[in-house]
Amino acid sequence: MSPRLVPLIMLSTWGTHLFGGSAGREGVAVQIGATVSHWIGRRLPFRDPGNTFLLIGMAAGFAGLFRTPLAATVFAIEVLVAGRLEYRALLPALAASLAASMTSGALGLEKFEVAVVASYALDLPGLERLALLGIAFGMVGGAFAWCLAHAKTLAARLLPNPYMRVAVMGLALSAILFALWQGRYCGLGTNLISAALNGEGKIAIMPWDWALKFALTIATLAAGYQGGEVTPLFSIGASLGVMLAGILGMPVELCAALGYAAVFGSATNTLLAPILIGCEVFGFGNLPMFFIVCVVAYLFNMDKSIYALQEHSRTR
């Protein structure tokens, strides 16, 4: 992406949020980070940097937005090729992630974190319930990636003119988003995340919240609006976790936290990043549960990814 497009994607993302589009904002952060870093890297006297500078920028953009440097680092080095880690970018990506996270914090960006301390027994029935959660989260994340790709293709075929597509679908989405509880599903979805984790998730989250956020985010992005998928995926996962907690008889906050991480991981076809983002946001004491659920979700996501250009390692 040309550096000249950076201000345009920033303005487009702001416009999407200003008018209520159901989309995230990490897409522009990662794109800007990758573009700037790659542009600088091409002008430095390195003999064969490969895609190292691209990964450095992606990690910095992700960490600067979410302030989760460990997850940002592994996300960057594992997302380009499913099943393979770009180890040569590990140290510089970590340094960039830490610097970006500290810089955004110094500029006033607060890190979203919630201490989840629900006790959970890792006995056989407990492991079975975690596996069921992983299967559900994996299938939903994979379905999101599949539906997004096909929705974009369908929208482009029905409305080939991109300006007409944005106008027609934008008007329809505006009416739908306003009619559904006057904007409950607009924007990032942080309202659903907060509702799922505020201790009253069973009351605050409706059983269909995750499905409507799922559908409206896909429609917003298929229409051509600029934004991202990650934060809406967090909200879809957290809302779905609340619903499944009631079915499986598990702690609501724990299930919401597991869904927050695992649906993101399955939709991006990554394994380590969702485990670490779950730990960085909800506490490393929950590492065993995040590990089990995210591994199962990774295995059941149908090998789909929201990133259409993601390559696949032969070893997977």
Side-chain angles (χ1 to χ4, degrees):
M1 188 176 74
S2 170
R4 289 177 292 182
L5 292 178
V6 167
L8 294 178
I9 63 171
M10 289 178 64
L11 291 171
S12 299
T13 301
W14 291 342
T16 299
H17 291 154
L18 177 63
F19 293 100
S22 178
R25 60 189 176 189
E26 76 295 326
V28 64
V30 172
Q31 287 174 353
I32 291 173
T35 299
V36 173
S37 181
H38 185 63
W39 183 83
I40 293 173
R42 288 193 306 171
R43 286 155 177 77
L44 295 177
F46 290 98
R47 181 173 298 176
D48 182 25
N51 57 12
T52 299
F53 282 95
L54 177 70
L55 301 180
I56 290 171
M58 292 172 62
F62 194 100
L65 181 62
F66 293 114
R67 299 198 61 205
T68 53
L70 300 182
T73 300
V74 296
F75 175 78
I77 67 173
E78 72 174 329
V79 73
L80 291 186
V81 182
R84 189 181 78 196
L85 299 177
E86 298 285 348
Y87 284 113
R88 70 173 177 176
L90 179 58
L91 184 58
L94 176 60
S97 295
L98 291 169
S101 179
M102 289 187 289
T103 300
S104 61
L107 292 173
L109 179 65
E110 294 185 6
K111 177 185 175 182
F112 173 73
E113 54 186 340
V114 177
V116 174
V117 294
S119 59
Y120 188 77
L122 292 177
D123 52 12
L124 183 58
L127 292 174
E128 290 174 347
R129 287 193 289 268
L130 289 176
L132 289 174
L133 281 179
I135 293 171
F137 294 146
M139 294 180 67
V140 168
F144 182 94
W146 185 88
C147 290
L148 179 60
H150 286 271
K152 288 181 176 180
T153 301
L154 179 62
R157 186 169 71 245
L158 296 177
L159 296 166
N161 186 311
Y163 302 104
M164 184 63 68
R165 183 162 66 248
V166 166
V168 172
M169 294 186 68
L171 288 172
L173 280 167
S174 297
I176 293 170
L177 287 164
F178 183 78
L180 294 173
W181 295 274
Q182 297 185 354
R184 181 177 178 87
Y185 307 108
C186 288
L188 301 170
T190 52
N191 59 319
L192 297 179
I193 296 171
S194 298
L197 294 163
N198 68 359
E200 298 181 359
K202 286 185 178 180
I203 300 172
I205 293 294
M206 295 181 283
W208 51 82
D209 276 341
W210 72 272
L212 289 177
K213 187 63 177 176
F214 180 109
L216 292 168
T217 300
I218 288 174
T220 297
L221 297 172
Y225 287 95
Q226 182 70 37
E229 303 92 348
V230 171
T231 309
L233 284 169
F234 290 157
S235 69
I236 291 167
S239 302
L240 177 61
V242 172
M243 187 193 73
L244 293 176
I247 297 174
L248 296 175
M250 296 176 65
V252 174
E253 290 81 7
L254 177 61
C255 284
L258 293 170
Y260 178 104
V263 171
F264 153 69
S266 60
T268 57
N269 205 19
T270 56
L271 174 61
L272 300 178
I275 295 172
L276 285 176
I277 204 167
C279 292
E280 287 189 273
V281 173
F282 301 107
F284 279 86
N286 300 300
L287 175 59
M289 283 80 78
F290 281 112
F291 183 86
I292 293 168
V293 172
C294 290
V295 166
V296 176
Y298 182 73
L299 296 174
F300 279 86
N301 81 328
M302 301 172 285
D303 207 20
K304 303 297 182 183
S305 174
I306 57 176
Y307 304 118
L309 298 180
Q310 185 184 68
E311 300 177 11
H312 292 79
S313 172
R314 292 181 181 179
T315 60
R316 188 180 180 196

